[in-house]
Amino acid sequence: LGGSLKGEDFGPLAAEIGPNVRSIHLVGAAAGELDAALAQRPHDTDEALERAVLHAHGQAAAGDVVLLSPACASYDQYANFEERGEEFRRLVQNLTG
């Protein structure tokens, strides 16, 4: 989760994250506000997508899905959402060879 802030309230998002979510990794400018909204849920502030992918990979068990679902704009670290998505794809491909 994370990216550029757009003035949204993250409380409703935090309330809807189900119990099947193994880990949550916060990145970008919105990490602080997301951290506050997720105070009741275990989560990690990884700051950058690369660190979040490595961290999530390390916590995932066989059969788990690591999902990029930022809930924020990409403009704090990327030109657009396509660039962020391609970076996520590249990072995952580098993990799996």
Side-chain angles (χ1 to χ4, degrees):
L1 289 170
S4 296
L5 291 168
K6 298 185 290 182
E8 59 274 274
D9 174 7
F10 293 118
L13 171 67
E16 293 298 322
I17 296 174
N20 61 325
V21 175
R22 182 182 304 270
S23 66
I24 301 168
H25 303 273
L26 308 180
V27 299
E33 290 193 26
L34 286 161
D35 177 63
L38 293 165
Q40 303 304 313
R41 294 290 311 258
H43 61 277
D44 295 289
T45 301
D46 291 318
E47 297 182 15
L49 186 58
E50 181 175 14
R51 173 71 182 124
V53 169
L54 291 171
H55 200 177
H57 180 260
Q59 292 181 334
D64 282 353
V65 173
V66 176
L67 175 69
L68 172 61
S69 184
C72 297
S74 60
Y75 303 122
D76 63 332
Q77 296 181 9
Y78 299 95
N80 52 51
F81 72 92
E82 291 98 340
E83 183 180 324
R84 178 173 55 191
E86 287 301 319
E87 175 71 355
F88 179 74
R89 179 191 330 262
R90 184 189 68 76
L91 292 166
V92 171
Q93 287 173 338
N94 286 345
L95 290 172
T96 61

